[in-house]
Amino acid sequence: MQKTSSTVIKEEQTGGHAPWISPGTTGIVTFSVQTSTTVSSGDRIHFLSPTGTSLVNASISDLSSSYYTFTLSDDHRTGNLTLTKAITSWGSCELSLAVDSEAVSGITMDDGIARYFMADGQQMGNDASISVIAATVTITEQQTDGHIPWIFPGMSGAIPFSVVADSPDGKGSYLYFTAPTYTDPATKTISHNATITGGTLSDPNLADKYTFTPENNGLNARLTLTADDVTWSECVMTLAVDSSMPKFGTLDNGKVQYTRSDGQPVGASASVTVIAASSNHWDNVASVKSCLIGMQSDDTTSTNKGTLFMNGENDEYNTFGAHSIPVFVGITFKRFSDNFDEPTNDEVLTALSLVGLGTDGETIIDISDNFALTTNIDYRNAYYKTTTTFPLPDLSPSSGAYDHELNLGAWCPKYHTDPIPGNINVYIHLEAPLSTGTYKYTSNGEMPANVSVNFISRKKYQYSDTAGSSAYILVSKETASDEILFKSSNEVRDVGTIHERVIYRVYIDSTPEQSKYSFKFNKLLWIHFLYPEVDGSYTSYGSHIYSAYIKGMAIHGKPQWATYAQHILLPDYTYTAQRPLTEAFFIELGHKIGPVGTHEKNGWACAGTLSVIGDTAEDGITINPGEIAFAAVNIAFESSSTDVIWDKNNHPDDTGKSPIGLVDNFGNHIFLVPIFGTDDVNPKEETSMTLTVEEQ
């Protein structure tokens, strides 16, 4: 008969649930065995495994195997753990149980039985249930942006893991981390170049349901659950990589293992692999293998010498722009690893600058105020007499020798009126942020990685009647009797003889043939002429006279026939915005150039229009590239009043602004005051024109 002893056999829970054993693997189920009497030789525990499992072995953890035997049935469904010697107490025992590989993941198998029998065959206590969960725990290191995690030497980084379990877990279960190591490829020496500094569960709802504990100075660590009914999802291990770790070397052989609260591992461990790299491309730069800088000396060749005109202009948006020397920069980097990218062209461009060096050959001199790089190369051909496109440089030692080939412009970013003495030797300088620190490189005068720049300040101009020097502005005069028509408005005074109709052309003197620099007017910045306003009673004849200049003569102040000259800036009076002068401008037949005239105090003395005439549709007036032109007419008219207003409107305004503002193709500013007319005392039948070139 069954004894009524208080003997108890009980399966121990792990993490608040039945033990997890993965399908196809073997695990341990622990039982506590408590008796109120001395345990005799022959006492035994009989096991019947749950359906879907089989018995493998059983043992008493605190006793030598000489104290017990374990026998199995042929089908491994039943077995007996029998004492061969008397002992004080069992304490506990462990059953090794195999779960069938076909078992459904996550299923609970709980129909197993454990019974305690005394040596005489009597059962003591009640049956104990044997329950296991066919749980699978899968841990996988996650990739970052399609690659295994990167952590740069001297920095810490996060390594994410996916943790998938078939059923909720409980307190005491933990993930055990082992830091990866570095194996020197030459000596095969294994080094501990990384330590574990942190571990977290990604789910914010689990923030207070685990603890992190480092061990062995960070070579191992545990992330332990402190609550039941927890579903594993993702965790992150923080790893600090020593600065002594070789760049772009691989740390591997690390592990993450899931372990039950009783210390029993479940599932396979996940490997931990890290590359000592970063997403910062500059971290992969070991050195500059070669570099080159060259300038375009003319339209076909390159050189390491150049001339920079330190001029410029503010455009209509008040943005300063200047010339640039066409510059080619070529750089080859030596990389720590060919498996990782080097800086892109944009990253190189951002880091690239030009510097000077001190007399010691080492001290970097910042010359960015006087010399800088630009991707805006609109002015790159301004230096040459031809306008061909910039040719591809033939500067590389061999085809494809440079990983980065940049066509840029080197320019002066501010306006200079005085030259910088002598030449400046300019070198390539790179400065870019690394993951730790700053990457710096200067070419240090390695040929041909430096260029010599001759700086020339703002060009000075003056008016001249004689060609032969680029320092002068010339005026040419040509008859336009067959091109310009004056048509009277039939107003209050008679129009007499039209003495002259001419075109004045103003341009910069051509440079000598041996010079490669050709100066031209490049842009008309403004037209700023003043003009008299007519009395309101006569506005039907026109309210303003749009002219570069008006001049008349009333000899001795008496009413009589007089002459006056008037000059209108072409192409016409309606165009007041900035205008490029780089292309030819054709004024077509029939085009109205503008109204002309002068007036008395209370009325018009002479009024009319100037128009372009010709015999065929091809006739007209061509304004050549790089020049400005004036249409001029010298007319006699009858005046019956001493109150004729004679006005010359080409003088600077109240702010000192010259009537004509120009810029040449090198950014030099030119301010012109045209001086037209005839002699005040002895009227002539011909107009004349000179120029004043003002400094502003």
Side-chain angles (χ1 to χ4, degrees), residues 141-387:
E141 182 182 64
Q142 300 297 291
Q143 292 192 341
T144 304
D145 297 329
H147 56 74
I148 61 177
W150 293 346
I151 302 176
F152 199 68
M155 301 189 71
S156 296
I159 305 176
F161 295 90
S162 169
V163 185
V164 179
D166 295 317
S167 60
D169 205 352
K171 58 185 175 181
S173 301
Y174 61 92
L175 298 176
Y176 193 73
F177 299 96
T178 300
T181 60
Y182 171 69
T183 303
D184 187 288
T187 65
K188 307 302 180 183
T189 303
I190 297 176
S191 302
H192 296 283
N193 291 81
T195 54
I196 303 168
T197 59
T200 58
L201 296 179
S202 300
D203 187 348
N205 296 320
L206 303 179
D208 58 348
K209 295 183 179 181
Y210 64 91
T211 59
F212 172 78
T213 308
E215 299 177 356
N216 302 324
N217 295 320
L219 298 182
N220 301 99
R222 296 172 186 251
L223 194 153
T224 307
L225 295 182
T226 59
D228 293 330
D229 199 28
V230 173
T231 300
W232 292 100
S233 56
E234 294 182 352
C235 72
V236 176
M237 179 178 75
T238 304
L239 194 70
V241 176
D242 297 345
S243 58
S244 59
M245 175 67 192
K247 289 182 180 180
F248 294 88
T250 299
L251 293 145
D252 54 17
N253 296 320
K255 293 181 180 180
V256 181
Q257 174 69 59
Y258 171 80
T259 304
R260 301 183 331 199
S261 60
D262 59 0
Q264 175 71 34
V266 178
S269 63
S271 61
V272 180
T273 303
V274 176
I275 295 179
S278 79
S279 58
N280 182 345
H281 295 152
W282 288 100
D283 289 332
N284 195 20
V285 174
S287 63
V288 173
K289 185 177 180 181
S290 60
C291 66
L292 183 66
I293 181 171
M295 295 181 176
Q296 181 185 0
S297 62
D298 53 38
D299 288 326
T300 58
T301 61
S302 299
T303 183
N304 64 339
K305 295 182 179 180
T307 298
L308 179 67
F309 288 82
M310 303 178 71
N311 311 302
E313 62 167 313
N314 290 321
D315 61 17
E316 55 266 41
Y317 305 105
N318 204 33
T319 299
F320 182 77
H323 312 111
S324 62
I325 305 174
V327 171
F328 168 79
V329 175
I331 300 175
T332 298
F333 292 118
K334 183 181 291 185
R335 294 179 288 193
F336 284 104
S337 172
D338 291 336
N339 295 322
F340 290 85
D341 293 333
E342 64 182 28
T344 64
N345 268 6
D346 287 342
E347 289 171 331
V348 171
L349 185 59
T350 300
L352 182 65
S353 63
L354 299 175
V355 297
L357 289 184
T359 55
D360 58 3
E362 297 294 335
T363 303
I364 295 176
I365 301 173
D366 185 2
I367 59 171
S368 58
D369 283 346
N370 296 324
F371 201 52
L373 290 173
T374 176
T375 56
N376 180 4
I377 49 180
D378 294 341
Y379 285 89
R380 68 156 88 216
N381 286 310
Y383 294 86
Y384 313 113
K385 287 176 286 188
T386 58
T387 56

Side-chain angles (χ1 to χ4, degrees), residues 409-696:
W411 70 304
C412 176
K414 66 180 182 180
Y415 194 85
H416 278 267
T417 58
D418 296 315
I420 295 178
N423 296 343
I424 292 181
N425 289 323
V426 180
Y427 306 88
I428 295 174
H429 181 64
L430 293 169
E431 190 162 329
L434 298 171
S435 293
T436 54
T438 303
Y439 178 80
K440 293 183 180 181
Y441 167 81
T442 303
S443 58
N444 290 324
E446 302 164 3
M447 294 295 290
N450 68 300
V451 292
S452 176
V453 182
N454 177 35
F455 291 90
I456 299 179
S457 64
R458 173 183 174 185
K459 190 167 184 60
K460 309 293 185 180
Y461 289 105
Q462 65 185 75
Y463 169 67
S464 175
D465 291 321
T466 307
S469 171
S470 60
Y472 297 105
I473 294 176
L474 302 181
V475 176
S476 69
K477 179 181 179 181
E478 59 188 49
T479 301
S481 300
D482 297 330
E483 297 173 285
I484 297 176
L485 172 67
F486 170 74
K487 184 177 181 182
S488 173
S489 298
N490 297 317
E491 293 162 13
V492 296
R493 294 292 176 261
D494 293 331
V495 176
T497 303
I498 300 175
H499 297 296
E500 186 180 50
R501 284 169 286 176
V502 295
I503 299 293
Y504 286 98
R505 299 181 184 273
V506 182
Y507 57 96
I508 299 176
D509 191 8
S510 299
T511 56
E513 282 301 315
Q514 65 268 25
S515 173
K516 63 186 177 184
Y517 306 119
S518 179
F519 292 87
K520 296 179 180 179
F521 291 135
N522 190 63
K523 187 183 293 184
L524 175 63
L525 297 178
W526 66 71
I527 306 170
H528 200 65
F529 296 117
L530 304 176
Y531 42 76
E533 295 187 14
V534 72
D535 185 273
S537 301
Y538 297 91
T539 54
S540 60
Y541 300 112
S543 58
H544 301 94
I545 305 296
Y546 292 92
S547 308
Y549 183 77
I550 303 171
K551 188 174 179 67
M553 286 134 294
I555 300 176
H556 307 304
K558 297 180 180 179
Q560 60 185 331
W561 283 95
T563 63
Y564 84 97
Q566 181 156 309
H567 310 76
I568 298 178
L569 184 68
L570 300 177
D572 61 49
Y573 63 93
T574 62
Y575 204 103
T576 58
Q578 294 191 16
R579 176 161 58 89
L581 303 176
T582 54
E583 302 293 334
F585 190 93
F586 182 71
I587 304 175
E588 298 178 351
L589 184 68
H591 182 86
K592 178 182 176 182
I593 298 173
V596 298
T598 188
H599 57 83
E600 302 176 9
K601 184 176 181 180
N602 297 308
W604 290 87
C606 176
T609 59
L610 286 182
S611 301
V612 177
I613 59 172
D615 297 326
T616 65
E618 289 75 21
D619 291 335
I621 300 173
T622 297
I623 304 173
N624 299 313
E627 71 176 15
I628 59 174
F630 293 87
V633 61
N634 189 0
I635 308 174
F637 68 95
E638 181 185 9
S639 173
S640 59
S641 172
T642 59
D643 294 322
V644 175
I645 296 176
W646 314 116
D647 188 19
K648 47 185 181 181
N649 64 345
N650 60 335
H651 50 79
D653 62 15
D654 294 338
T655 65
K657 193 171 187 178
S658 296
I660 300 176
L662 298 156
V663 64
D664 70 8
N665 56 325
F666 292 99
N668 297 294
H669 287 79
I670 305 158
F671 307 100
L672 299 182
V673 178
I675 302 173
F676 288 104
T678 60
D679 186 272
D680 290 339
V681 179
N682 300 301
K684 300 178 181 178
E685 294 183 353
E686 291 186 2
T687 62
S688 62
M689 175 183 175
T690 59
L691 291 174
T692 296
V693 184
E694 291 192 344
E695 294 285 342
Q696 287 192 356

Side-chain angles (χ1 to χ4, degrees), residues 7-60:
T7 301
V8 176
I9 303 174
K10 181 181 180 181
E11 181 184 80
E12 295 294 318
Q13 295 289 296
T14 175
H17 53 70
W20 285 357
I21 302 176
S22 300
T25 67
T26 299
I28 300 297
V29 180
T30 302
F31 295 87
S32 62
V33 183
Q34 298 177 353
T35 62
S36 59
T37 62
T38 301
V39 181
S40 304
S41 173
D43 284 9
R44 63 187 173 89
I45 300 175
H46 177 75
F47 297 102
L48 171 64
S49 68
T51 304
T53 69
S54 57
L55 304 178
V56 177
N57 197 8
S59 62
I60 303 173

Side-chain angles (χ1 to χ4, degrees), residues 94-110:
E94 295 179 343
L95 177 66
S96 181
L97 198 66
V99 175
D100 295 346
S101 59
E102 294 82 10
V104 178
S105 294
I107 191 173
T108 300
M109 296 171 285
D110 58 2

